[in-house]
Amino acid sequence: THCISSAASDVYKRQHIYSIKTMFLQKFPLLAPAARASLLCRLLPLNKIRTITYDGTPNSMAHSESNGDILSDNIQTVKLAYDKHSPPGMFSSANPPIVFLHGLFGCKSNNRTVSKKLAMLLDRDVYCLDLRNHGASPHIDRMDYPAMGADVERFIADHNLKDPILIGHSMGAKAAMSVCLRKPKLCSLLIPVDNAPVDFTAGATGFSKFGIYVRQLQRIEANRSLKSLRECDRILAEVESNKVIRQFLLMNMKPSKEGGYRCVVALDVLAKTLDNVSAWPFNCDYTRWSGPALFIRGKNSPYVADNFLTSIAKFFPRFEVYDVDAGHWLISEKPQEFVTEVAEWISFKEDTP
């Protein structure tokens, strides 16, 4: 049985903690990174507001029986594009780095602002990746979580990252979970943001609307007479009334040499594989990760509803939950609260034997 208490945040206290950390780092810029991190984590409150009971599972599990190639080392991978954000005044940090994964239709620049703040507060490098078929990363026919996980594993190996911390939002959250389940010893901490290890192909979250977005963006790509993003927006507005969502989707549209606009996301691939993105191929009988995991969820989002916590517990028995008074796009809605909670949790975990 797992006991989880929601994280009721005191906004004033968290803003105060954030201000203290910022002033601390500005006051002691010349301290060695390890010393700064050690002192910084001692500023954090010790009265943690989440509780959890651990089921005693001694080790993570990662073996496959009739699970296809989801745990295979032979999945074809691609070299992922990335941006690296380091602490101010430093080329690189020796502390365990953060690897940040975006969601569907996202890219490495989506989380640039919060990544820079995390790099400063935690004295470490933050790598923001473009997942396959997104941004500047290569397009490839296969689009599922074992493959996305394998790409991230390759990135970690290629860059010799030691004990990285994975943060992922939405699709990126499932990709991050996949890495931990496929390679249990590779990462030190896991922070999935507003997604759960659950198969959503039945449409429980409204995910099916992404298929409509794909078709509408394909219409935009096919129209070579379009002269501006405003014209593209009018076509997208036929299926999406929320201007913020339309602007997010249109970030993927770039002027084409042949006229009109092209999408940097592989729309033809997504059109065939969206079910894979909403699905969850792992089996908790064969895969489990017993490392520390913090699931950050939006109170107004359906993706990590209370009835999904049991599924989380089966795959990640040492999980904790933090609630943000926001929707699915909680990082952009509450960036300061997100940064403060992530920095607090990572510092606390690294300072706890």
Side-chain angles (χ1 to χ4, degrees):
T1 302
H2 297 262
C3 176
I4 305 103
S5 66
S6 297
S9 65
D10 182 332
V11 175
Y12 173 80
K13 182 176 73 174
R14 292 184 178 280
Q15 290 176 340
H16 181 62
I17 292 170
Y18 182 84
S19 298
I20 289 175
K21 293 175 182 176
T22 303
M23 289 187 293
F24 175 88
L25 292 170
Q26 291 172 344
K27 188 174 181 180
F28 300 104
L30 299 180
L31 281 177
R36 289 175 65 187
S38 178
L39 288 171
L40 176 59
C41 69
R42 284 166 175 76
L43 294 174
L44 303 174
L46 296 179
N47 53 328
K48 302 303 288 180
I49 52 181
R50 293 171 300 275
T51 60
I52 183 168
T53 58
Y54 180 42
D55 69 354
T57 304
N59 296 303
S60 300
M61 299 190 305
H63 66 273
S64 179
E65 294 179 23
S66 68
N67 269 341
D69 69 345
I70 64 171
L71 302 178
S72 172
D73 291 328
N74 298 320
I75 295 174
Q76 183 180 359
T77 59
V78 298
K79 186 175 182 179
L80 300 178
Y82 71 97
D83 288 334
K84 179 183 177 182
H85 306 288
S86 297
M90 298 176 61
F91 177 74
S92 191
S93 169
N95 292 322
I98 292 172
V99 177
F100 212 134
L101 311 179
H102 62 78
L104 186 62
F105 288 110
C107 64
K108 62 184 186 301
S109 64
N110 290 158
N111 302 302
R112 178 188 296 132
T113 301
V114 295
S115 294
K116 289 182 177 180
K117 290 180 179 179
L118 288 172
M120 178 188 71
L121 289 172
L122 292 169
D123 279 298
R124 68 193 66 218
D125 300 323
V126 180
Y127 295 85
C128 295
L129 311 189
D130 276 342
L131 295 173
R132 60 171 51 199
N133 295 313
H134 287 73
S137 287
H139 293 184
I140 186 170
D141 287 341
R142 181 168 179 173
M143 185 69 181
D144 57 28
Y145 290 112
M148 282 186 264
D151 289 341
V152 176
E153 294 157 20
R154 172 182 171 179
F155 178 86
I156 292 171
D158 288 348
H159 293 265
N160 297 310
L161 304 185
K162 184 179 180 182
D163 299 323
I165 298 164
L166 295 187
I167 303 177
H169 173 250
S170 195
M171 179 184 77
K174 281 188 169 179
M177 288 184 257
S178 300
V179 174
C180 290
L181 293 176
R182 282 172 45 84
K183 304 292 180 184
K185 297 181 180 180
L186 188 60
C187 302
S188 58
L189 299 172
L190 170 66
I191 305 179
V193 182
D194 214 57
N195 213 338
V198 175
D199 188 332
F200 292 127
T201 52
T205 62
F207 181 88
S208 57
K209 195 165 187 179
F210 281 102
I212 299 174
Y213 297 154
V214 169
R215 290 192 292 274
Q216 210 69 356
L217 291 174
Q218 287 177 320
R219 277 187 58 196
I220 293 173
E221 269 197 328
N223 189 341
R224 298 298 185 185
S225 66
L226 296 175
K227 304 297 184 183
S228 68
L229 285 176
R230 181 175 295 180
E231 291 179 305
C232 298
D233 183 64
R234 281 199 289 267
I235 296 176
L236 202 53
E238 296 173 9
V239 298
E240 178 52 66
S241 60
N242 189 316
K243 185 177 181 179
V244 175
I245 294 178
R246 297 202 309 271
Q247 290 175 335
F248 169 73
L249 294 170
L250 289 173
M251 287 176 63
N252 293 295
M253 304 307 297
K254 308 298 179 183
S256 172
K257 294 179 180 179
E258 291 78 26
Y261 286 79
R262 63 178 181 85
C263 188
V264 297
V265 174
L267 296 175
D268 55 337
V269 175
L270 286 187
K272 302 173 185 176
T273 59
L274 271 180
D275 279 350
N276 294 342
V277 178
S278 60
W280 182 245
F282 294 88
N283 186 331
C284 62
D285 290 335
Y286 308 125
T287 54
R288 180 190 299 124
W289 192 66
S290 57
L294 175 64
F295 282 74
I296 301 179
R297 62 178 181 174
K299 289 183 180 179
N300 305 320
S301 169
Y303 280 85
V304 193
D306 285 347
N307 55 308
F308 297 147
L309 296 181
T310 300
S311 180
I312 294 175
K314 291 178 180 178
F315 286 101
F316 306 98
R318 292 178 60 192
F319 82 105
E320 300 172 76
V321 176
Y322 179 78
D323 291 337
V324 177
D325 189 11
H328 182 59
W329 310 97
L330 64 92
I331 298 177
S332 58
E333 291 182 49
K334 297 292 180 69
Q336 181 166 308
E337 183 176 353
F338 172 80
V339 168
T340 302
E341 175 59 23
V342 168
E344 175 184 325
W345 187 78
I346 290 175
S347 298
F348 183 81
K349 289 299 180 183
E350 291 185 335
D351 196 47
T352 304

